Amino acid sequence: MNGSDDARRAELLRLAGEVADATPVNWGGHSEALEDSDAGLEGLKLIERLETAHRELRGGVSGHGRAGEGMLFRWGALEAMEKLGEGSFGEVFRAFDPTLRREVALKLRRAGQGGDRRFLDEARRLARVAHPHVLHVHGADVHEGRAGLWTDLLRGRTLEEHLSAQVRLGAPEATLIGLDLCRALAAVHAAGLVHGDVKAANVMREEGGRIVLMDFGSVSEQSGSGAASHGTPLALAPEILEGAAPSPSTDVYALGVLLFRLVSGRYPVEAPDLPRLREEHRAGRRASLRDLRPDIPTAFVQVVEQALEKEPETRFMSAAGMEAALAATMHPAAPAAPRRRGALPMGLAAAALAAVIAVVVLRQLPRATPDTGSSAAVSALPRGGAATWSSRGGPGEAPKSGLTASAAVLSANPGTVAADTLDFSARLCRGGDGGEQFLAAGDEVHPGDHLYLKVRAARPVNVYVLNEDDHGSLYVLFPVSGSDQQNPVSPGELRRLPGRFQGQEQDWQVTSAGGRETFLVIASPRPLRAFEERLAALERSESGRMVAYAELRPSDLQALRGVGGMAPAALPTHVAPGSRLAGLAKEAREGAESPIRVRSFMLSNPGN
Amino acid sequence: MESTLSLLELLRSGNLRARDRLIERYLPILHSWAHGRLPSRARSLSDTEDLVQITLLRALDHLEEFEVRREGAFLAYLRRILMNAIRDELRRSANSPHREEVTEAIPDRQASLLDEAIGRETMETYEAALSRLPEETQEAVIMRIEFGYSYDQIADALGKPTANAARMTVARALVQLAEAMRERLG
């Protein structure tokens, strides 16, 4: 069996798992390893219909509480359906929350083992952390004498399971995982907490590819009061072994250990027992990552080694510092500015303004000059990446004067000189009681703002609008089903996107504050089929529904591997090189048979 | 909870309480299963109950025909004899005097709820493809898809170490089934 057969089989198994779980299957979002006409794919679709029909006949229409299984017991408002695991701490169940009508994971302590108060305190602290890469704790309580907490229900494999399958990752993939975990730790630390047990077994890679830091059994307040650590000794920072309290720096160390293991399969410092482990640390004996993996980039090795420094003060100052260093390993040519939430560096904002004035109607330019019309900074959208469709707030048809965003103009066909004119223009606008406002660099948006895009083209054009939030989560904002505007968008008149839904104009609404957002607008005279397939894997906005966090699937990670370090000059400079959006922009350009326009709007949403 | 296998052993040794426990356990799930497969004319509650109850009792009274290997095989066995009983019922109704009453307006009183929901051709393709799969594969499919067993229950019934292992078994079984179905449909 060759690699593509393996990939096809793996993808079929993934989809079959979803059918078996009775979760909605995104049939359009399968990986390229599967042909649309694949016999297995067709068969699975039939089986999904069979499964649904059987489930409905059993009366389990809601997708939970499968007949023949029944509810095991009730704990408070939750219905425990299936035991998922058990350990010294207690038990974990798949449970159903009838109020919110969704499945959750319920972690129950054994009755009468004491320490319930500490457990509940811990859960309350965890509930403070809301981050896409941190397991979300919904609540904690005591019922029937048993303390418990409930969280998102994750399906996937832990990184430990990946490691035990003898999988050693390449640096690009480990870097992407490391970036997600740095962001997760930054959120945990920002809440005044320390995770305390960052290790492969506590990181889940969901079936959708999302990396989630979980199991906060060792979490402690950053009080510095010498709380005992329960972490795995081999992943513990040396100062912990000497009795120091867990700190953000010890989490950074543990993440270094995890990255070391992901690429090498080994711990940096190994010993058969605690005394000898201390001894190894004191003597500074550590396996050399370079020796174990001579093939991986030096920049990556350096980041891991700095995280593993014996002295806390010589490690990265924070998870955010490590994130910036990791990001820089992907683009050695482009010095990475650390991403700081809520504040756009002044220089960048000024450059963006200059660019805004430069270009309004996009015309194809030779590739040699793509950066001149680079960035447009506007401001908008949510920290948690939550955008909803909502009905339009105001009339908003009184355009004010003023140029708006800038454009990065790129050719799909390097070397061609500007012969073709698509004459495509796009303006990001804000509607509301005050009428319509074109958004320009430096503008701020706030929760509740309604945004939309006005486009005009000289001939039929296929438009794709994507949004990447501060966490690297991607959403497809257009095309979207249900809208009267569909690709190709008709030429001539000014068109407003996302369009009308059941006769009513809809906008994108800013639903939360904080962070930075990038909009990517791609226009092509022909549909970008390969690109559309890729988009199918991303979360789509829908009318009236929160756009949930979405990640690329593992198969997409493969495709993105090449993003790190590749020709950053070809990217619009304000799309963070190496970001997923940049990867998609690149794919769109490369997959296009005809000239396309790529334009992006970088927005900041500092909150109040 | 006593396992099905231990109850079957007890029943073989003449323990009638074990018989009651088995009936308690299997009657409801077989009833719901049969409801979807009976033709509309035989779909009334009492008809379904009668058919399922008689079939289950007969099966338990003829246990010597069934070699006890695992719970999954027992469920597949019950399903098979119930399926045969339903087919007999279909034949009977096709040959009954009621047939003359069937008019063009109600063309398909032979159709079951599942036939109506997904089409008779798909159902037939499914049954044919399923019957060609290895026994354990068939059991994994019917337990999850048709009877809605939890992965824990499937792990017990098929002797898998964990619920996750059972989930993988089911997923693999569905892929095999999917390919077999598609082959038949061409």
Side-chain angles (χ1 to χ4, degrees):
Chain A
M1 189 181 273
N2 63 32
S4 70
D5 282 342
D6 284 344
R8 170 185 172 271
R9 178 110 190 125
E11 185 64 1
L12 279 178
L13 273 175
R14 185 184 70 79
L15 292 168
E18 287 184 8
V19 171
D21 291 346
T23 52
V25 183
N26 174 11
W27 293 111
H30 64 78
S31 85
E32 286 162 3
L34 273 186
E35 301 277 338
D36 282 338
S37 58
D38 189 285
L41 186 65
E42 292 304 307
L44 281 179
K45 287 180 188 171
L46 292 176
I47 295 172
E48 188 201 27
R49 288 172 53 206
L50 277 156
E51 194 280 334
T52 307
H54 278 95
R55 180 154 40 84
E56 285 174 356
L57 284 172
R58 287 194 302 267
V61 190
S62 68
H64 84 285
R66 308 178 66 103
E69 159 187 46
M71 177 176 60
L72 298 175
F73 59 89
R74 203 181 286 278
W75 184 86
L78 300 178
E79 298 165 2
M81 309 302 298
E82 181 176 11
K83 191 195 271 190
L84 299 174
E86 194 167 5
S88 54
F89 59 86
E91 298 163 299
V92 180
F93 296 88
R94 177 171 65 81
F96 184 70
D97 178 343
T99 317
L100 298 177
R101 301 202 62 73
R102 66 174 171 192
E103 286 196 323
V104 295
L106 171 63
K107 183 173 173 177
L108 289 183
R109 299 192 83 218
R110 294 196 187 290
Q113 67 177 1
D116 283 353
R117 178 180 292 240
R118 179 169 174 269
F119 177 85
L120 293 176
D121 281 350
E122 209 169 87
R124 281 185 202 116
R125 293 202 297 267
L126 284 173
R128 284 188 226 151
V129 182
H131 189 274
H133 295 297
V134 178
L135 179 63
H136 187 219
V137 175
H138 297 297
D141 214 335
V142 181
H143 293 288
E144 317 282 330
R146 295 189 77 178
L149 63 81
W150 62 105
T151 68
D152 281 347
L153 179 66
L154 304 180
R155 287 204 188 275
R157 295 169 78 193
T158 66
L159 294 185
E160 189 64 46
E161 288 173 283
H162 283 276
L163 279 167
S164 58
Q166 304 292 314
V167 178
R168 286 197 312 170
L169 301 185
E173 207 165 337
T175 301
L176 291 173
I177 292 173
L179 286 171
D180 287 345
L181 291 175
C182 282
R183 292 171 191 143
L185 281 178
V188 171
H189 297 164
L193 299 166
V194 174
H195 185 283
D197 199 11
V198 177
K199 61 178 180 182
N202 284 343
V203 179
M204 177 74 89
R205 182 185 234 164
E206 276 195 301
E207 283 168 354
R210 179 169 70 131
I211 295 292
V212 184
L213 180 61
M214 51 181 204
D215 204 340
F216 292 79
S218 303
V219 80
S220 62
E221 295 258 20
Q222 286 179 23
S223 58
S225 61
S229 174
H230 309 281
T232 308
L234 292 176
L236 289 182
E239 66 269 25
I240 300 263
L241 296 172
E242 304 290 348
S247 68
S249 181
T250 61
D251 278 348
V252 165
Y253 181 92
L255 180 53
V257 173
L258 173 57
L259 294 184
F260 191 104
R261 281 193 74 208
L262 287 179
V263 295
S264 73
R266 285 188 49 184
Y267 286 96
V269 181
E270 293 180 342
D273 53 48
L274 263 180
R276 271 182 279 187
L277 185 61
R278 279 195 199 99
E279 191 47 47
E280 293 294 302
H281 276 296
R282 283 175 197 149
R285 281 193 287 271
R286 187 171 84 201
S288 156
L289 185 54
R290 173 49 78 219
D291 288 347
L292 292 169
R293 286 294 300 265
D295 57 313
I296 59 178
T298 304
F300 179 83
V301 173
Q302 284 170 344
V303 170
V304 173
E305 284 183 343
Q306 191 178 340
L308 292 175
E309 284 288 347
K310 189 172 155 191
E311 303 300 333
E313 20 330 327
T314 48
R315 288 175 208 146
F316 295 104
M317 295 288 287
S318 62
M322 184 167 172
E323 181 196 350
L326 267 179
T329 67
M330 301 180 77
H331 333 287
R339 297 173 81 184
R340 300 251 179 251
R341 227 166 256 152
L344 208 56
M346 280 308 291
L348 182 55
L353 264 173
V356 161
I357 298 162
V359 188
V360 186
V361 175
L362 306 183
R363 286 169 196 276
Q364 185 179 0
L365 295 181
R367 196 186 188 119
T369 60
D371 291 343
T372 53
S374 67
S375 83
V378 195
S379 66
L381 285 178
R383 181 186 193 140
T388 55
W389 293 112
S390 68
S391 290
R392 184 170 151 187
E397 282 301 327
K400 292 177 181 172
S401 65
L403 298 178
T404 54
S406 73
V409 183
L410 294 151
S411 164
N413 199 356
T416 346
V417 184
D420 174 56
T421 48
L422 187 56
D423 271 345
F424 170 77
S425 68
R427 286 169 169 177
L428 191 63
C429 308
R430 171 165 51 194
D433 297 340
E436 181 179 76
Q437 183 189 6
F438 293 152
L439 288 173
D443 284 355
E444 285 182 7
V445 294
H446 300 284
D449 282 358
H450 292 246
L451 307 182
Y452 51 94
L453 195 73
K454 282 191 156 179
V455 299
R456 192 203 304 268
R459 53 176 161 136
V461 63
N462 292 274
V463 181
Y464 307 88
V465 185
L466 307 178
N467 163 229
E468 182 174 37
D469 72 10
D470 208 17
H471 303 297
S473 308
L474 276 175
Y475 308 92
V476 182
L477 299 181
F478 191 85
V480 60
S481 62
S483 168
D484 66 340
Q485 295 295 337
Q486 295 295 333
N487 281 330
V489 174
S490 314
E493 285 182 40
L494 206 55
R495 307 281 169 192
R496 179 173 160 151
L497 305 182
R500 299 173 83 85
F501 292 69
Q502 294 179 336
Q504 198 167 19
E505 196 80 61
Q506 303 257 328
D507 301 329
W508 297 300
Q509 188 183 14
V510 182
T511 55
S512 63
R516 187 172 74 183
E517 300 280 333
T518 306
F519 286 90
L520 190 70
V521 181
I522 296 170
S524 166
R526 294 191 202 164
L528 303 173
R529 293 290 178 217
F531 185 65
E532 282 176 5
E533 280 173 26
R534 182 56 51 93
L535 294 190
L538 298 177
E539 192 70 47
R540 243 162 235 280
S541 190
E542 278 175 25
S543 189
R545 196 190 73 139
M546 291 292 284
V547 176
Y549 177 80
E551 275 270 1
L552 293 180
R553 292 175 298 120
S555 51
D556 294 312
L557 272 180
Q558 294 290 337
L560 287 171
R561 272 183 164 175
V563 173
M566 34 110 232
L571 298 170
T573 54
H574 51 292
V575 174
S579 71
R580 296 189 170 88
L581 210 48
L584 284 173
K586 178 174 181 284
E587 280 185 19
R589 283 194 303 276
E590 288 177 351
E593 297 158 2
S594 54
I596 62 164
R597 307 293 177 272
V598 179
R599 178 176 192 175
S600 66
F601 304 80
M602 189 170 67
L603 315 170
S604 77
N605 177 19
N608 298 313
Chain B
M1 195 166 77
E2 298 145 294
S3 78
T4 292
L5 290 190
S6 62
L7 288 174
L8 287 171
E9 277 308 307
L10 285 171
L11 177 56
R12 277 173 201 278
S13 62
N15 184 326
L16 288 181
R17 199 186 57 83
R19 186 172 186 269
D20 291 345
R21 299 295 303 276
L22 285 164
I23 290 169
E24 235 170 65
R25 188 172 297 177
Y26 284 97
L27 199 56
I29 62 174
L30 291 176
H31 180 264
S32 130
W33 183 88
H35 182 63
R37 277 180 169 68
L38 277 166
S40 59
R41 55 163 293 131
R43 206 182 290 148
S44 78
L45 202 60
S46 57
D47 285 351
T48 311
E49 260 170 17
D50 287 352
L51 183 77
V52 174
Q53 200 158 345
I54 292 167
T55 307
L56 181 58
L57 292 177
R58 266 194 211 140
L60 293 176
D61 292 341
H62 294 85
L63 265 189
E64 65 278 8
E65 291 171 10
F66 176 72
E67 183 199 344
V68 181
R69 283 157 298 173
R70 49 178 186 265
E71 188 194 332
F74 181 63
L75 182 68
Y77 165 75
L78 291 178
R79 176 190 184 275
R80 192 164 56 247
I81 53 175
L82 190 51
M83 182 76 92
N84 288 339
I86 290 171
R87 287 192 178 133
D88 287 348
E89 177 68 25
L90 279 173
R91 265 192 294 276
R92 232 195 325 280
S93 67
N95 295 330
S96 75
H98 292 296
R99 197 171 181 216
E100 281 78 48
E101 296 165 19
V102 176
T103 68
E104 296 274 315
I106 37 168
D108 206 359
R109 278 161 54 103
Q110 296 283 63
S112 70
L113 285 173
L114 282 168
D115 290 338
E116 287 166 12
I118 38 200
R120 186 177 283 187
E121 193 195 356
T122 304
M123 278 309 290
E124 283 169 358
T125 307
Y126 165 72
E127 294 291 353
L130 183 70
S131 68
R132 293 211 319 267
L133 298 178
E135 280 184 13
E136 191 190 280
T137 310
Q138 289 188 33
E139 291 161 21
V141 171
I142 62 169
M143 278 190 279
R144 186 67 186 182
I145 300 297
E146 297 187 7
F147 290 94
Y149 272 35
S150 74
Y151 292 127
D152 262 339
Q153 289 173 314
I154 295 173
D156 285 345
L158 293 183
K160 301 290 169 191
T162 62
N164 210 29
R167 181 173 182 272
M168 277 317 295
T169 304
V170 171
R172 275 194 288 269
L174 293 189
V175 171
Q176 268 183 276
L177 175 66
E179 288 175 338
M181 281 179 75
R182 200 63 194 77
E183 248 169 55
R184 291 191 67 86
L185 285 176

